[in-house]
Amino acid sequence: MTQRIALVTGGSRGLGKNAALKLADRGTDIIFTYNSQQQAALDVVAEIEQKGRKAAAIQLNVSDVAGFESFTHEVQAQLKSIWNREAFDYLVNNAGIGLYGAFADTSEAMFDQLVNIHFKGPFFLTQRLLPLIQNGGRILNVSSGLARFALPGYAAYASMKGAMEVLTRYQAKELGERGISVNIIAPGAIETDFGGGRLRDNKELNAYVASQTALGRAGLPDDIGDAIAALLSDELAWMTAQRIEVSGGMFL
């Protein structure tokens, strides 16, 4: 079987890092992007290589569409030099930021930043990378439980995630002729540094989330990394156009 390669955006920290490591544990080689933390990215490359897998880290600002052409050329170069390949198998559109504000207080600048990172970026990055995705490959987008339930302060952020859920269905429809399946995972509240580590570091918020979750706790990075690896497994290759929420049963 040909060695599988996954490209994970935002893989130097948080859920993207966890997903990259979990995929490596299952035998997948990794290309991942980082925005500014080069040393953190190199540390992740070393962790993946310690697992016996190959890895490459490439700088990318997902909000800057103008940089996608040069990024794509760099992906091609890394594929050729490390794997002697022209395509990869899995794309995980994970990169994102936590930027929150009440609907009445959301500025146009905040809105535009969220659009560029969480919707416009993944839209055009995936489009640009299509020639490098294997026929029969997989795309996994990332949404949020906030696209299903509403909490004050997340109107713009959640709206972008809702847009990604609609886009996922259209991608699945249009890319199906190439055998490419497209799904979207929706994490619940997870203890990471996302959004300044609010859930991880605020005991009151953490306890509230736990009280509203069927499984009785806030989510951990491993919960999502394991789920991403499972969703990209061969056993789920027939699943496409689906939203899979992994939230422990938040706000049921």
Side-chain angles (χ1 to χ4, degrees):
M1 185 177 71
T2 303
Q3 174 61 44
R4 303 294 173 84
I5 305 168
L7 194 163
V8 181
T9 65
S12 64
R13 47 170 287 275
L15 298 184
K17 173 184 175 180
N18 193 280
L21 294 174
K22 294 292 186 178
L23 284 164
D25 284 338
R26 292 185 176 221
T28 299
D29 289 348
I30 306 293
I31 300 171
F32 69 91
T33 75
Y34 67 95
N35 184 22
S36 58
Q37 301 181 35
Q38 184 180 34
Q39 187 55 54
L42 294 175
D43 290 343
V44 176
V45 169
E47 280 191 69
I48 293 169
E49 290 177 342
Q50 287 169 5
K51 296 175 181 292
R53 304 268 42 99
K54 297 177 181 178
I58 305 175
Q59 195 279 331
L60 175 69
N61 178 356
V62 295
S63 70
D64 181 16
V65 174
F68 290 176
E69 182 175 2
S70 61
F71 170 75
T72 301
H73 290 320
E74 181 61 23
V75 172
Q76 288 177 301
Q78 295 288 353
L79 283 169
K80 184 66 175 176
S81 65
I82 298 175
W83 290 277
N84 195 28
R85 291 262 301 271
E86 296 181 352
F88 60 90
D89 303 278
Y90 312 135
L91 172 61
V92 182
N93 283 309
N94 163 79
I97 60 167
L99 190 61
Y100 313 118
F103 169 73
D105 300 327
T106 299
S107 67
E108 185 177 0
M110 289 171 62
F111 184 92
D112 288 347
Q113 186 178 9
L114 286 165
V115 167
N116 289 338
I117 293 173
H118 288 281
F119 185 55
K120 182 179 179 181
F123 188 107
F124 288 104
L125 180 62
T126 303
Q127 183 188 83
R128 173 67 70 169
L129 290 172
L130 281 177
L132 304 186
I133 300 176
Q134 291 276 19
N135 288 343
R138 317 275 280 280
I139 298 171
L140 184 62
N141 296 319
V142 178
S143 180
S144 168
L146 291 161
R148 174 177 62 85
F149 49 78
L151 290 175
Y154 300 91
Y157 174 84
S159 295
M160 309 313 159
K161 296 303 190 179
M164 284 302 299
E165 292 185 7
V166 174
L167 176 62
T168 295
R169 295 194 293 273
Y170 276 84
Q171 289 174 328
K173 185 72 170 180
E174 296 189 21
L175 302 180
E177 64 183 13
R178 289 183 51 192
I180 296 173
S181 68
V182 189
N183 295 291
I184 189 161
I185 186 173
I190 309 295
E191 295 180 18
T192 70
D193 61 357
F194 194 72
R198 293 169 59 178
L199 177 66
R200 181 192 61 198
D201 302 333
N202 185 322
K203 290 183 178 180
E204 291 78 14
L205 178 59
N206 195 293
Y208 173 72
V209 166
S211 73
Q212 300 298 316
T213 301
L215 293 180
R217 63 170 174 81
L220 300 172
D222 280 352
D223 296 324
I224 306 305
D226 281 332
I228 289 173
L231 289 170
L232 293 175
S233 67
D234 290 345
E235 289 82 0
L236 290 178
W238 188 239
M239 182 176 71
T240 195
Q242 299 305 303
R243 175 192 190 271
I244 302 94
E245 182 168 319
V246 184
S247 69
M250 258 187 101
F251 295 117
L252 296 180

